[in-house]
Amino acid sequence: MPEPVPADTAEEGPESGSTQLSGLFVEKPPPSITAVTGMDLIIIAKVDSTTLTRKPTMKWLKGKWLDLGSKAGKHMQFKETYDRNTKIYTYEMKIIKAVAGDSGGYRCEVTAKDKCDSSTFEISVEAAQQEAQADIFSAFKRADAGEDDGDLDFSALLKAAKKKKVKEEPQIDVWELLKSAHPSEYEKIAFEYGITDLRGMLKRLKKMKVVEPKHSEAFLKKLESCYSVEKGKKIVLRCEVMDPDVQVKWLKNGQEIKPSAKYIMESLGNVRTLTLNRTTLADDAAYECVVGEDKCFTEVFIKEPPVTITKLMDDYHVVVGERVEFEIEVSEEGAHVMWYFEDIELQKDSPNYRFKKDGKKHTLIIQEATLAEIGMYHAWTNGGHTKGELEVEEKQLEVLQDIADLTVKATDQALFKCEVSDEKVTGKWFKDGVEVLPSERIKMTHIGRFHRLLIDDVKPEDAGDYTFVPNGYALSISAKLNFLEIKVDYVPRQDPPKIHLDTTGNMVSQNTIIVVAGNKLRLDVEITGEPAPTVVWSKGDKVIKDTEGRVRVEARKDLSCFVIEGAEREDEGNYTICVTNPAGEDKAMLFVKIVDVPDPPQNVRCLSVGEDCASMIWDPPVFDGGAPLKGYLMERKKKGSSRWTKLNFDVYESNAYEAKRMIEGVMYEMRVFAINSIGMSQPSLTSKPFMPIAPTSEPIRLTVHDVTDSTCTLKWLAPEKIGAGGMDGYVIEYCKEGDTEWVVANQELCERQGYVVRGLPVGEKINFRVKAVNIAGQSPPAVLSQPVTIREIMEYPKIRLPRELRTKYIRRVGEKINLTIPFQGKPRPVATWYKDGEPIDPKMVNVRNSNVDSILFIREAEREHSGTYELVLQIENMEDRAAIVLRIVDKPGPPVKLRVTDVWGFNAALEWEPPKDDGNCDITGYTIQKADMKTKEWFTVYDHNRRTNCTASDLVMGNEYMFRVFSENLCGQSDDACLSKNTAVIAKTDLEHKRSPYKEKEITCVPKFTQPLVDRSVVAGYSTAISCAVKGFPKPKIVWMKNKMIISEDPKYLMRNYQGVLTLNIRKPGTFDGGKYSCVAVNELGKDEVECKLDVRLATDPDKK
């Protein structure tokens, strides 16, 4: 982990690197700004983006390190605007109700790719003249307090005590009281006078009084004034003390810190460190290191990482009175989230809103939505933003299933049923305007959206008009109950059969009966005839004989009942009733029509999208339910969400719809419901996900870069606004002046910001335009202000020889040579290379020419490539020339004719001649070496000797020497040397040395310890070592033992032997490591042994004593 950087040592300028300082500000904040306590303050800075390729980034800093962007809230607000005409960005920092803690040095810093600029300014906050002394407490609020830190609020007891003191005692200047007080009394004073931010007060008190730096007798180097570290990281506080054995105490906010896994205290020589692991906001405090009476102080600031929003807010489309829950998820638990309605911050004490936190989930709850709450809702964290739209419409109750008229017989059952769109709606039943009350025979039920009135044992007085009236709506649903009376007329005994059909009730025509799918059809047909006729019901050619089941026939006296339970679509068709007796027969035909809710619409798809809208289309349902379609209802949702939002409350008749007010770059899905007079269908299949995106803005700064007789080179910059659809490429179009038909120049999209339009007619005036293309389509075009005449302009040929090629160009043998010579000229010049006046050989040198340069390439340079190369540039009768001198160098050959010219004393004079091959460059020196004829080992006498002669000195008397010389140049030393033809003999003098006879000394000896082991007592947990010294030859073998047991290769023990000094290191011994340790030295002459006793004791806490 990187070491934390103290705040007062941080760099003030921008980061070093490729970013260069430049004047981006067109308006800077004033150097000095004065504000009044309790008043708002606005600081403005303006940046010119005319020369920038991307949007600039602005940072507001306080001091040297504190980024104010993370403190945005109700105390500090930041705003950014952009003027398209002037291309100027305006940045505002607003401090709401300034306090004394806002005083200090500030810096605004703007960066844009490789450019940056900064401006510093000072803010001083003065107290208002009418403020009383008691208002000084507002200055004790922390300068870096978040928006949750409200006004100071003391208990009623402290308030009462303060009021009494103001009346009875003179006002006390708290600042003067603190200046003269001892640091140990700070907390007492803070409690007595209601100061809640003691640390913030001490920081400003330190700035107010100038303290002479006091020399400390206990500290060599004190703690830094402050440290900053990111939340969750590790930080090390480090100081140096004068006495390496002194004990120190660490304090946090005046309380002593005990060692733990969180706080690790270490002592290494004079250095004392306190390590804080996994820092949290609770570690943001003042720390002290205490040595006796001396102390050194520091402050640790914990920087919280930005909180991002991981789950975005959904849109809502509700009716008045519904509950709305805007829910988001953030990256960290306990994060602070600000909720806004449009530009107004929502407070916790608002009666219409309720806020809920559950781990990382944050919810804004609107208990009962009203029309006043329509708008955009925002959620802000210090690292993210999301928004959701709330649409509220008036409640409109829709009748999904009407009440059907009934015709029943005495003692039968009558059931009225209707369905409304809101399952919460209640209502009342009326008969002929009189409310119907429940009884044993009359029952009323309400289940979901269905309301039922059930009348058992129908009587003649039950006939009449029945009406259902929903509570709270000017709406009523009516139906008629017809009582079927059986009229018995006198008939002769031989009366032919007769079918008496009642054409009222469900019959919409004389022989057609309409039944809603799922409802029950009971058709009671009166039959007369003497004798009693035989009744046969049939559907088509199929006779219905069942007397039980879903479709059945029931026979009663003078009645034939045809019943369909839970009507289905398959039950629709023509039904025939045939009655016969001996007197004749009668027939009647009925058509039963089954009506149902329609099938879901088909093939919902998106035709096109815009920046915040999408055009949707779908196919009508395959089956309309037997009733004409009234229209459709549409819903949409964000992909991945489970909450659908209604797009319309009124029935929409067309099968094409434009959905609006969507967020660009967000994936949406849509579904459609079909509606007829019976009710609403099931939802259609969800459409494929689609994303509202818009084409980019037009490219900018379209210019002509070059023109020839048949081509035109265009260049431009990317659009200012690209959007969520990104950028796929560009389309280039042209047309002749006066024409309206534009021709596309590129068949495939151009991805670069430049293009060469080819095949243009010479001399014509051509208009050009460029469009940006993304998934949403083409942007508006960028058009040249005037047409371009297609005619190449003659330009004199000019070679621009690079500076390094204007002098002799030297390269070594085997190196690669790649020379790029730029030039200019129109039309395209003809470039020709010559070497020493002759055309170059293409087998030796490769040349590649382009419109703007010529490249000479040699893969592996050889000596024969050296020479003068000339580039000739020609356009018709005009030309330009440039010469390059190329020299390929190699190592030189050896010198020649090396000889010893003179010998005197201990010296020898040498001479030689330069090498025949100098490697194609100057000889820079020679290396001379000598060798004794006995050992034949070479030693250097001189390096880089420039002359062709030298004198070798300090030769040894009586030895014979030979010499060799290497030549050197730019490439290095020659591979071979030149040996001297003769040698130099250093003659001996007349002195004769008589050597004494050599007597070999006996050095073998028995092992013997010269330094024994010493008994030791150590503390458990602290590494220790025992040592001794031994002599003996041959070198003895060493064996360490504990309690007469040989110590094996145990990592706890480390055995060393350095020139007879034997050491046994024991790593962090425990009580079980105590005992007798012995060391045995053995060789072939004998052995010796020493031993000692090691006592390991437990550490004791001096505080407990």
Side-chain angles (χ1 to χ4, degrees):
M1 189 196 84
E3 288 290 332
V5 180
D8 58 344
T9 60
E11 294 183 0
E12 292 188 12
E15 294 181 356
S16 60
S18 61
T19 303
Q20 55 181 341
L21 192 63
S22 60
L24 298 177
F25 285 108
V26 294
E27 180 180 332
K28 296 183 178 181
S32 179
I33 302 173
T34 302
V36 179
T37 302
M39 303 296 291
D40 294 349
L41 177 63
I42 299 178
I43 299 97
I44 298 177
K46 295 184 178 180
V47 176
D48 185 6
S49 64
T50 306
T51 60
L52 303 181
T53 58
R54 62 176 60 180
K55 179 181 176 183
T57 302
M58 171 68 80
K59 280 188 177 181
W60 296 89
L61 307 172
K62 182 176 182 182
K64 297 182 180 180
W65 62 270
L66 181 60
D67 187 356
L68 299 178
S70 61
K71 305 299 180 183
K74 65 181 182 180
H75 183 60
M76 281 192 177
Q77 296 180 358
F78 302 92
K79 184 179 178 183
E80 172 189 332
T81 58
Y82 176 65
D83 189 340
R84 289 183 176 270
N85 298 325
T86 60
K87 299 189 184 300
I88 290 179
Y89 286 87
T90 302
Y91 300 92
E92 293 184 7
M93 179 178 75
K94 184 176 182 181
I95 302 177
I96 301 175
K97 295 183 181 180
V99 297
D102 295 323
S103 301
Y106 290 77
R107 185 171 82 254
C108 56
E109 188 177 280
V110 60
T111 57
K113 198 176 180 181
D114 56 347
K115 296 182 180 181
C116 71
D117 198 0
S118 65
S119 174
T120 59
F121 55 95
E122 190 82 18
I123 295 179
S124 58
V125 181
E126 298 179 352
Q129 295 182 357
Q130 66 272 18
E131 287 187 359
Q133 179 68 25
D135 290 338
I136 193 172
F137 297 119
S138 64
F140 295 156
K141 186 177 178 182
R142 289 177 58 90
D144 55 352
E147 60 176 310
D148 282 341
D149 299 336
D151 298 331
L152 299 177
D153 184 15
F154 310 128
S155 64
L157 181 61
L158 287 176
K159 286 183 178 178
K162 187 173 76 171
K163 290 179 181 178
K164 293 180 180 179
K165 289 182 180 179
V166 171
K167 294 180 180 179
E168 298 175 2
E169 298 180 1
Q171 295 180 349
I172 298 176
D173 190 344
V174 180
W175 291 110
E176 295 297 329
L177 183 63
L178 291 171
K179 286 181 183 178
S180 58
H182 190 272
S184 62
E185 300 178 355
Y186 284 163
E187 293 188 4
K188 179 180 178 182
I189 296 173
F191 177 78
E192 182 176 353
Y193 291 96
I195 302 171
T196 59
D197 188 8
L198 182 60
R199 289 181 52 216
M201 177 198 67
L202 292 176
K203 287 170 59 179
R204 286 183 291 280
L205 187 65
K206 185 177 180 181
K207 295 179 181 178
M208 291 174 59
K209 56 183 182 181
V210 180
V211 181
E212 292 291 334
K214 182 180 177 182
H215 177 70
S216 174
E217 297 181 355
F219 291 94
L220 287 173
K221 182 179 179 181
K222 293 189 176 183
L223 296 169
E224 301 289 348
S225 59
C226 59
Y227 295 82
S228 66
V229 67
E230 292 184 1
K231 178 182 176 183
K233 299 294 184 67
K234 182 176 74 173
I235 186 172
V236 179
L237 310 183
R238 184 179 182 275
C239 65
E240 296 182 14
V241 296
M242 192 75 70
D243 184 1
D245 298 326
V246 72
Q247 298 292 326
V248 301
K249 289 185 179 180
W250 292 91
L251 307 180
K252 174 183 176 183
N253 288 340
Q255 301 295 323
E256 185 176 355
I257 303 173
K258 298 297 183 182
S260 64
K262 172 76 174 179
Y263 302 102
I264 299 176
M265 304 173 189
E266 294 180 312
S267 173
L268 182 62
N270 296 80
V271 179
R272 301 293 185 269
T273 59
L274 171 64
T275 303
L276 282 67
N277 290 317
R278 296 182 181 179
T279 54
T280 63
L281 294 180
D283 297 319
D284 189 289
Y287 292 83
E288 303 174 42
C289 181
V290 181
V291 179
E293 296 296 328
D294 285 348
K295 300 178 181 179
C296 60
F297 301 85
T298 189
E299 284 195 272
V300 174
F301 295 94
I302 308 300
K303 294 189 286 187
E304 231 180 325
V307 178
T308 58
I309 298 177
T310 57
K311 181 183 177 183
L312 301 179
M313 196 186 304
D314 289 329
D315 296 333
Y316 277 84
H317 196 149
V318 298
V319 298
V320 174
E322 281 195 62
R323 176 186 173 99
V324 179
E325 293 186 3
F326 286 109
E327 181 182 284
I328 65 170
E329 289 187 14
V330 295
S331 56
E332 291 190 12
E333 293 187 4
H336 181 69
V337 176
M338 294 182 293
W339 295 92
Y340 282 81
F341 171 55
E342 301 295 351
D343 296 331
I344 303 172
E345 184 178 1
L346 302 180
Q347 305 295 337
K348 294 183 178 180
D349 55 356
S350 176
N352 298 335
Y353 303 99
R354 191 162 64 88
F355 304 90
K356 179 181 176 183
K357 288 184 181 180
D358 184 10
K360 297 181 180 180
K361 289 185 179 180
H362 293 252
T363 308
L364 169 64
I365 301 174
I366 305 175
Q367 294 290 357
E368 294 183 357
T370 63
L371 296 178
E373 271 120 13
I374 297 176
M376 194 68 70
Y377 288 80
H378 303 261
W380 292 85
T381 65
N382 60 1
H385 166 244
T386 182
K387 61 183 179 180
E389 184 180 13
L390 175 61
E391 295 182 3
V392 183
E393 294 194 8
E394 291 282 3
K395 280 186 177 181
Q396 294 182 357
L397 190 66
E398 185 177 356
V399 178
L400 302 180
Q401 181 179 333
D402 207 343
I403 305 175
D405 293 341
L406 297 179
T407 301
V408 295
K409 185 184 172 185
T411 71
D412 284 350
Q413 183 185 75
L415 174 63
F416 291 104
K417 180 175 73 172
C418 66
E419 182 183 3
V420 295
S421 56
D422 190 350
E423 62 183 16
K424 297 180 180 179
V425 171
T426 59
K428 297 180 180 179
W429 292 88
F430 294 87
K431 174 180 177 291
D432 297 330
V434 180
E435 183 178 357
V436 178
L437 300 178
S439 63
E440 293 182 359
R441 197 169 57 85
I442 301 175
K443 297 181 177 59
M444 289 170 283
T445 60
H446 172 203
I447 301 175
R449 297 184 306 207
F450 291 93
H451 297 262
R452 293 179 175 85
L453 173 64
L454 180 66
I455 304 175
D456 290 326
D457 191 14
V458 175
K459 299 179 179 180
E461 57 268 20
D462 292 329
D465 291 327
Y466 285 83
T467 304
F468 176 73
V469 179
N471 292 331
Y473 295 92
L475 176 69
S476 63
I477 310 170
S478 300
K480 188 174 183 180
L481 176 62
N482 298 310
F483 183 77
L484 181 64
E485 296 184 5
I486 302 175
K487 299 179 180 180
V488 180
D489 297 330
Y490 173 77
V491 293
R493 296 182 63 87
Q494 291 293 329
D495 190 11
K498 183 68 175 175
I499 301 172
H500 302 274
L501 286 177
D502 186 359
T503 59
T504 61
N506 291 343
M507 289 193 181
V508 295
S509 64
Q510 185 160 0
N511 293 324
T512 301
I513 300 176
I514 297 178
V515 182
V516 177
N519 286 3
K520 177 180 179 180
L521 172 63
R522 182 182 182 89
L523 188 60
D524 296 331
V525 180
E526 182 181 0
I527 306 297
T528 60
E530 189 68 28
T534 303
V535 182
V536 177
W537 288 86
S538 61
K539 179 183 180 184
D541 298 333
K542 183 180 179 181
V543 177
I544 302 173
K545 300 180 179 180
D546 297 337
T547 58
E548 293 183 356
R550 190 178 65 84
V551 180
R552 62 184 183 272
V553 177
E554 297 177 357
R556 296 185 183 180
K557 184 179 180 182
D558 298 332
L559 284 177
S560 179
C561 299
F562 179 66
V563 180
I564 300 177
E565 295 280 358
E568 298 177 354
R569 292 183 184 179
E570 294 78 12
D571 297 328
E572 184 174 310
N574 290 312
Y575 290 82
T576 304
I577 177 173
C578 180
V579 293
T580 57
N581 70 358
E585 71 174 9
D586 193 9
K587 282 187 179 181
M589 183 174 291
L590 300 173
F591 178 71
V592 177
K593 184 176 182 180
I594 308 298
V595 293
D596 196 0
V597 295
D599 287 346
Q602 304 291 315
N603 195 18
V604 181
R605 57 200 181 276
C606 176
L607 290 183
S608 62
V609 294
E611 184 175 1
D612 61 348
C613 60
S615 296
M616 307 298 298
I617 193 172
W618 56 89
D619 298 333
V622 176
F623 176 64
D624 62 1
L629 289 177
K630 290 185 176 181
Y632 303 92
L633 290 177
M634 286 73 71
E635 291 183 348
R636 76 165 185 234
K637 72 177 182 69
K638 296 176 183 177
K639 184 180 179 183
S641 173
S642 59
R643 183 176 296 280
W644 290 91
T645 302
K646 290 183 179 179
L647 298 183
N648 64 312
F649 282 87
D650 296 329
V651 176
Y652 187 77
E653 296 181 358
S654 175
N655 64 338
Y657 183 77
E658 184 177 7
K660 298 182 178 180
R661 305 186 73 176
M662 292 187 285
I663 302 174
E664 184 180 8
V666 176
M667 297 293 289
Y668 287 90
E669 295 174 336
M670 189 167 173
R671 66 183 183 184
V672 183
F673 298 83
I675 297 176
N676 63 5
S677 58
I678 305 303
M680 186 167 61
S681 70
Q682 292 295 317
S684 67
L685 294 177
T686 304
S687 67
K688 291 183 180 180
F690 60 91
M691 179 189 298
I693 51 177
T696 68
S697 60
E698 70 277 3
I700 59 176
R701 301 184 188 178
L702 175 61
T703 57
V704 176
H705 182 68
D706 191 16
V707 180
T708 67
D709 288 341
S710 62
T711 65
C712 180
T713 303
L714 304 175
K715 288 192 176 181
W716 60 89
L717 294 181
E720 292 181 345
K721 181 182 178 183
I722 294 179
M727 173 72 71
D728 294 338
Y730 300 91
V731 172
I732 298 89
E733 298 177 341
Y734 66 91
C735 75
K736 295 181 181 180
E737 187 180 22
D739 290 351
T740 58
E741 182 179 355
W742 290 88
V743 180
V744 178
N746 54 326
Q747 299 301 324
E748 296 182 356
L749 291 179
C750 174
E751 297 182 358
R752 297 181 297 176
Q753 295 173 4
Y755 188 77
V756 180
V757 183
R758 305 181 186 276
L760 300 175
V762 180
E764 291 285 350
K765 290 187 176 181
I766 305 294
N767 289 311
F768 294 94
R769 68 183 185 185
V770 179
K771 298 179 182 178
V773 180
N774 67 0
I775 191 174
Q778 296 183 352
S779 71
V783 184
L784 285 176
S785 58
Q786 57 187 7
V788 180
T789 302
I790 307 302
R791 180 176 289 110
E792 190 162 29
I793 302 172
M794 183 70 72
E795 184 179 353
Y796 193 85
K798 179 67 176 178
I799 300 174
R800 300 194 175 276
L801 194 64
R803 185 181 300 274
E804 65 270 14
L805 300 180
R806 296 176 186 176
T807 59
K808 189 179 296 183
Y809 192 70
I810 300 175
R811 282 292 180 268
R812 298 183 181 182
V813 171
E815 289 186 345
K816 181 171 64 175
I817 297 176
N818 192 346
L819 304 181
T820 301
I821 314 299
F823 56 76
Q824 63 187 34
K826 289 185 180 181
R828 178 177 175 175
V830 177
T832 309
W833 286 89
Y834 296 91
K835 178 188 177 187
D836 298 331
E838 299 291 334
I840 62 172
D841 185 1
K843 296 181 180 179
M844 297 180 61
V845 180
N846 296 320
V847 174
R848 184 187 65 81
N849 296 324
S850 70
N851 293 337
V852 294
D853 59 24
S854 180
I855 299 176
L856 184 142
F857 179 74
I858 301 175
R859 190 173 301 277
E860 290 186 4
E862 301 292 343
R863 292 276 291 274
E864 54 266 24
H865 289 136
S866 300
T868 300
Y869 290 80
E870 186 177 22
L871 173 62
V872 179
L873 204 63
Q874 289 184 331
I875 300 178
E876 296 180 356
N877 59 348
M878 298 178 294
E879 72 173 25
D880 191 17
R881 293 172 178 265
I884 302 171
V885 178
L886 179 63
R887 177 179 289 185
I888 309 300
V889 298
D890 198 1
K891 292 181 180 180
V896 296
K897 298 181 181 180
L898 173 61
R899 58 196 178 277
V900 180
T901 58
D902 192 11
V903 177
W904 72 96
F906 302 103
N907 308 306
L910 306 176
E911 289 183 0
W912 61 90
E913 295 180 4
K916 295 179 180 179
D917 181 12
D918 61 0
N920 209 19
C921 64
D922 296 336
I923 299 297
T924 58
Y926 300 93
T927 298
I928 300 94
Q929 295 182 344
K930 65 180 180 181
D932 187 356
M933 295 296 289
K934 296 178 181 178
T935 62
K936 298 295 180 70
E937 293 183 6
W938 293 97
F939 298 92
T940 299
V941 179
Y942 292 106
D943 274 332
H944 313 303
N945 185 68
R946 292 184 174 273
R947 295 179 296 177
T948 57
N949 56 73
C950 71
T951 300
S953 304
D954 299 329
L955 302 178
V956 179
M957 181 188 300
N959 287 353
E960 182 180 0
Y961 291 90
M962 58 180 176
F963 299 90
R964 67 181 182 184
V965 178
F966 294 91
S967 56
E968 299 176 6
N969 67 359
L970 182 64
C971 293
Q973 201 175 73
S974 61
D975 294 329
D976 300 323
C978 177
L979 292 173
S980 60
K981 295 182 178 180
N982 54 348
T983 60
V985 179
I986 308 302
K988 296 182 180 180
T989 60
D990 295 337
L991 296 177
E992 183 180 354
H993 175 65
K994 294 182 179 180
R995 297 182 179 179
S996 58
Y998 173 73
K999 187 179 295 184
E1000 188 175 352
K1001 185 177 180 181
E1002 180 68 29
I1003 60 174
T1004 59
C1005 80
V1006 178
K1008 182 173 179 62
F1009 284 94
T1010 59
Q1011 183 69 32
L1013 294 172
V1014 180
D1015 294 342
R1016 295 202 62 181
S1017 177
V1018 298
V1019 178
Y1022 291 85
S1023 299
T1024 186
I1026 55 177
S1027 60
C1028 58
V1030 68
K1031 69 177 183 177
F1033 190 84
K1035 184 177 180 180
K1037 178 182 178 182
I1038 307 301
V1039 178
W1040 286 93
M1041 293 185 292
K1042 174 189 173 185
N1043 297 332
K1044 299 303 181 182
M1045 299 295 291
I1046 296 176
I1047 298 174
S1048 60
E1049 296 295 331
D1050 191 340
K1052 189 177 187 69
Y1053 300 97
L1054 178 62
M1055 293 167 277
R1056 294 181 177 177
N1057 184 352
Y1058 179 71
Q1059 295 184 355
V1061 178
L1062 311 179
T1063 305
L1064 177 64
N1065 290 299
I1066 305 174
R1067 183 177 178 274
K1068 294 183 179 181
T1071 54
F1072 52 82
D1073 290 317
K1076 287 189 177 183
Y1077 287 81
S1078 58
C1079 180
V1080 179
V1082 181
N1083 67 4
E1084 58 189 19
L1085 300 179
K1087 71 174 183 177
D1088 195 8
E1089 181 179 359
V1090 292
E1091 67 177 19
C1092 70
K1093 182 179 181 182
L1094 179 65
D1095 182 21
V1096 181
R1097 65 183 187 278
L1098 294 175
T1100 57
D1101 190 348
D1103 294 339
K1104 293 184 178 180
K1105 291 183 179 182

